[in-house]
Amino acid sequence: MSQNKNRFMNWLNGESDTFSDSMEMKPQKEYEEEESTVRERMRERQQIYDRVYDVNGNKELIFLRMFYRVMAVVFCVLFVSLLIVTVSWLPPTGSEDNPVNNEVSKRYIEQGMEETGAVNIVSGMILTYRAFDTFGETNVLFIATCCVMILLMIDDAALKKQQVDNDRRYEPKNDVILQKIAFVLCPVIFIFGIYIVLNGQISPGGGFSGGAVIGAGLILYVSAFGFKKASRFFNELIYKIAKITALCMYGLIGTYFYITGANGIENHIPLGIPGHILSGGIILPINICVGLEVACTMYAFYALFRKGGF
Amino acid sequence: MNLFEILLFLFLILCAVSVSFSKNLLNSILIYMSFSLVMSIIWLCLESPDLAITEAAVGAGVTSILFFVTLKKIRAMKEERKDESK
């Protein structure tokens, strides 16, 4: 029994072949195809290829190709004529009877500054009268980043390291020209972005433009100095905190404003003097929230595209 | 409409047509970038400076960079790679 077991174990480990003496073994021979079979096989294969890829002889294919071309031209002509007809029905630019010139825009222009405390009418309009729409847009940005994260985020540590190595393979690690220019430009870009965000109610701009400028500055910094240096002041934790705090703050401010401020009910957010930096009631905090959100989104897109993480 | 704006609009149309005719994807992105830059100047001429800022930052900056990174991801920048391997 023990010998049997030993033999079995030996066979299992590949040390000895149990059948080596007891069985007649025929040495294996490499399979060689005969010349005629090879030719036959190749001929059949060629026949199939010819039938499938016969582009010029296949009548169905020729018809379909012609059909596609004709339909493409017809569709383009139809689409262009539809657009031209639509444009011809539009009201003339700058006419007083246009449907745009109704009581809504009149009120925005005449009483906008008084009611919102913002010199910049556009900012006052989209962040107070239509703050709810802008909240939806900010949510769209949030959802877009979530989708990119689902698609591109890499959780596996080894894969992530490989991705990081791959990322920097085809480019110089320390480009002196880029670094020097970024050294001068980045602070200017950041300050300009912050200026646009904070001055949203006074001068042209606002949360979205300023946030985009700050995001572009962050991307310039990262491409010049690498992710390692950028992660000292902007990592995943800070990203999460900033993004979610901004969105929640916006939601809270907007909700408070809509619950208390609608229909002339007294709300406790002072409007300030139009033209001062602390004016415009809820416009300034909402601008800061939108700016943070947009800057985070831009940077997150770039980081996720580059290496699948922060 | 003065001469400057007409020139800008002509350049815009030229860019839009040449993007679709360019074979190299890198060239397409560069043309798209210049399209956005010209568009931002046109926004400024049309008296909407806030849109001009956004167009310059998003259109010419972030979107093009994302396109570049995507090209790199799908290994579409062939000529650059050849130079590196030499």
Side-chain angles (χ1 to χ4, degrees):
Chain A
M1 185 65 203
S2 67
Q3 204 189 350
N4 273 347
K5 197 181 173 188
N6 260 340
R7 277 177 68 191
F8 176 71
M9 287 309 290
N10 281 344
W11 173 75
L12 194 68
N13 294 332
E15 286 163 10
S16 70
D17 190 356
T18 6
F19 302 111
S20 62
D21 297 327
S22 58
M23 232 174 159
E24 191 190 355
M25 297 289 243
K26 207 175 167 185
Q28 277 194 337
K29 218 167 57 179
E30 205 175 326
Y31 174 70
E32 276 175 28
E33 219 174 3
E34 282 177 42
E35 187 80 5
S36 56
T37 15
V38 173
R39 235 179 288 133
E40 180 73 12
R41 194 161 53 81
M42 294 306 281
R43 203 174 57 79
E44 277 177 9
R45 200 171 162 189
Q46 194 58 43
Q47 268 181 350
I48 294 172
Y49 264 116
D50 284 348
R51 213 165 356 156
V52 175
Y53 293 105
D54 184 15
V55 183
N56 294 320
N58 196 335
K59 278 181 182 162
E60 208 175 321
L61 207 66
I62 291 171
F63 172 74
L64 268 179
R65 227 186 305 155
M66 280 306 291
F67 181 74
Y68 276 137
R69 283 188 186 161
V70 171
M71 281 314 283
V73 171
V74 167
F75 185 77
C76 277
V77 169
L78 269 180
F79 192 66
V80 167
S81 47
L82 191 74
L83 284 180
I84 289 174
V85 168
T86 315
V87 167
S88 75
W89 277 89
L90 284 178
T93 318
S95 168
E96 266 190 39
D97 307 326
N98 282 356
V100 184
N101 294 332
N102 54 9
E103 67 280 357
V104 179
S105 57
K106 206 173 175 185
R107 172 151 183 143
Y108 286 164
I109 292 167
E110 281 172 0
Q111 286 175 298
M113 200 171 104
E114 197 181 308
E115 284 180 356
T116 64
V119 181
N120 181 4
I121 298 174
V122 178
S123 215
M125 203 172 81
I126 63 170
L127 290 177
T128 55
Y129 293 118
R130 298 185 178 178
F132 206 60
D133 302 13
T134 317
F135 185 55
E137 280 167 22
T138 320
N139 274 319
V140 166
L141 280 180
F142 183 73
I143 292 163
T145 337
C146 290
C147 292
V148 173
M149 266 183 164
I150 291 168
L151 286 172
L152 295 176
M153 191 96 162
I154 299 168
D155 285 326
D156 188 10
L159 207 64
K160 193 167 179 177
K161 193 177 175 302
Q162 187 194 345
Q163 198 77 19
V164 173
D165 290 345
N166 257 345
D167 178 51
R168 286 247 146 193
R169 183 173 294 163
Y170 296 121
E171 58 186 77
K173 283 211 167 52
N174 290 309
D175 194 303
V176 179
I177 301 172
L178 185 61
Q179 283 191 349
K180 289 288 173 200
I181 290 175
F183 183 75
V184 178
L185 272 185
C186 271
V188 181
I189 292 176
F190 287 143
I191 288 174
F192 183 58
I194 292 166
Y195 161 79
I196 293 174
V197 171
L198 293 184
N199 261 19
Q201 72 274 34
I202 303 165
S203 60
F208 191 81
S209 328
V213 170
I214 296 174
L218 273 173
I219 290 174
L220 176 65
Y221 184 89
V222 167
S223 51
F225 298 106
F227 282 100
K228 213 170 189 177
K229 278 193 177 170
S231 67
R232 282 186 307 195
F233 63 88
F234 199 89
N235 53 26
E236 196 175 349
L237 186 71
I238 294 173
Y239 163 76
K240 278 178 187 163
I241 291 172
K243 202 165 172 68
I244 291 171
T245 315
L247 203 61
C248 293
M249 277 292 286
Y250 190 173
L252 283 177
I253 295 169
T255 315
Y256 174 79
F257 183 73
Y258 269 95
I259 290 174
T260 61
N263 297 324
I265 304 169
E266 182 73 26
N267 71 47
H268 301 282
I269 303 173
L271 283 183
I273 306 151
H276 285 206
I277 199 150
L278 286 174
S279 67
I282 64 165
I283 293 176
L284 184 63
I286 284 186
N287 258 338
I288 294 170
C289 291
V290 175
L292 266 179
E293 179 84 18
V294 173
C296 287
T297 307
M298 298 293 170
Y299 180 75
F301 274 176
Y302 182 71
L304 285 167
F305 268 69
R306 271 287 285 273
K307 57 167 198 159
F310 289 92
Chain B
M1 201 188 288
N2 54 21
L3 188 68
F4 181 60
E5 277 176 48
I6 292 171
L7 271 179
L8 286 182
F9 276 118
L10 282 179
F11 191 78
L12 213 60
I13 293 167
L14 195 76
C15 280
V17 172
S18 59
V19 160
S20 52
F21 281 111
S22 134
K23 286 267 195 292
N24 193 341
L25 287 174
L26 196 67
N27 285 355
S28 305
I29 297 174
L30 290 175
I31 296 167
Y32 170 78
M33 253 173 132
S34 55
F35 178 92
S36 290
L37 219 58
V38 172
M39 195 66 218
S40 77
I41 300 171
I42 289 176
W43 285 129
L44 209 61
C45 292
L46 296 173
E47 296 178 11
S48 51
D50 42 351
L51 267 181
I53 297 168
T54 316
E55 179 79 36
V58 175
V62 178
T63 317
S64 316
I65 288 170
L66 286 186
F67 275 134
F68 279 135
V69 179
T70 313
L71 275 197
K72 205 174 141 195
K73 271 262 144 80
I74 62 170
R75 309 277 157 97
M77 291 187 178
K78 273 178 193 153
E79 283 173 31
E80 198 182 330
R81 263 204 308 173
K82 262 184 218 160
D83 292 343
E84 294 280 341
S85 65
K86 264 173 198 171

